[in-house]
């Protein structure tokens, strides 16, 4: 299996993984125009969004998106991990650790010494995985304000 930055040819498969990810997290997913939007945002050099994929025999079996953001409290930049997801049949094979190591290397290359993310409190396997990495949890509520 290969971990690499996404290419435009991967977008259709990434959208399918996004839908599986949303279903896993028990939220609605609207695929309308997602391919065009991901092409626009993931591959525009002026955007800060990065996408890594895990490929096995020409199939994308996992993905992660992340971006550099600023923390006022720390007066420094950090990497925000937006999504990390694997198809069920490849979970538990060490790919998550390898993917996180790639993100960690990217963070260091951008002079970021912190990676932040969130996961639903019912996702016990993800929480266990993140704790094994040595990550610490902060209890917060996430809000969405639809405009």
């Amino acid at each position: 299996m290969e971990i690499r930055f996404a290419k435009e040819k991967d977008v259709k498969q990434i959208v399918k993984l996004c839908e599986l990810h949303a279903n896993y997290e028990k939220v609605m997913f609207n695929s309308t125009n997602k391919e065009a939007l991901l092409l626009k945002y993931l591959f525009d050099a002026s955007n800060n969004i990065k996408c890594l994929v895990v490929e096995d025999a020409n199939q994308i079996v996992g993905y992660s998106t992340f971006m550099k953001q600023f923390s006022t409290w720390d007066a420094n930049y950090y990497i925000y991990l937006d999504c990390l997801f694997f198809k069920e049949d490849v979970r538990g094979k060490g790919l998550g650790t390898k993917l996180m190591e790639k993100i960690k290397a990217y963070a260091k290359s951008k002079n970021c010494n912190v990676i932040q993310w969130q996961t639903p409190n019912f996702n016990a396997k993800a929480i266990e995985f993140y704790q094994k990495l040595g990550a610490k949890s902060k209890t917060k509520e996430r809000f969405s304000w639809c405009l």
Side-chain angles (χ1 to χ4, degrees):
M1 290 197 210
E2 178 186 10
I3 299 174
R4 59 171 174 75
F5 282 98
K7 299 174 183 173
E8 290 184 15
K9 70 178 179 99
D10 302 324
V11 169
K12 185 177 285 252
Q13 291 185 69
I14 293 169
V15 170
K16 295 230 183 266
L17 285 175
C18 288
E19 184 172 13
L20 290 172
H21 191 180
N23 290 339
Y24 184 81
E25 292 199 2
K26 303 174 185 170
V27 295
M28 298 296 298
F29 183 77
N30 179 353
S31 62
T32 303
N33 207 27
K34 287 296 190 284
E35 285 183 39
L37 289 168
L38 285 177
L39 282 168
K40 174 182 174 183
Y41 292 119
L42 293 180
F43 303 103
D44 180 342
S46 67
N47 284 331
N48 191 26
I49 304 162
K50 304 298 176 198
C51 180
L52 287 171
V53 295
V54 181
E55 183 179 34
D56 182 26
N58 296 317
Q59 292 295 310
I60 306 299
V61 297
Y63 79 103
S64 179
T65 53
F66 51 95
M67 62 222 61
K68 187 174 179 179
Q69 294 188 341
F70 186 77
S71 167
T72 305
W73 286 2
D74 294 332
N76 207 346
Y77 287 93
Y78 66 97
I79 295 297
Y80 178 72
L81 176 64
D82 181 56
C83 288
L84 176 83
F85 183 77
F86 287 94
K87 287 184 176 179
E88 191 171 346
D89 60 334
V90 299
R91 293 182 196 147
K93 297 183 178 184
L95 295 170
T97 301
K98 289 178 182 176
L99 187 57
M100 289 298 284
E101 286 297 324
K102 291 267 189 185
I103 297 166
K104 181 179 174 181
Y106 178 85
K108 287 182 175 183
S109 78
K110 298 299 179 187
N111 297 314
C112 296
N113 59 4
V114 174
I115 301 171
Q116 296 183 21
W117 66 91
Q118 55 199 3
T119 195
N121 62 1
F122 61 79
N123 193 349
K125 287 183 179 184
I127 292 167
E128 181 182 347
F129 166 68
Y130 296 139
Q131 289 172 336
K132 283 182 183 177
L133 287 177
K136 304 293 181 216
S137 174
K138 294 180 182 178
T139 303
K140 291 188 174 189
E141 294 289 327
R142 180 177 178 143
F143 292 89
S144 294
W145 190 10
C146 296
L147 308 175

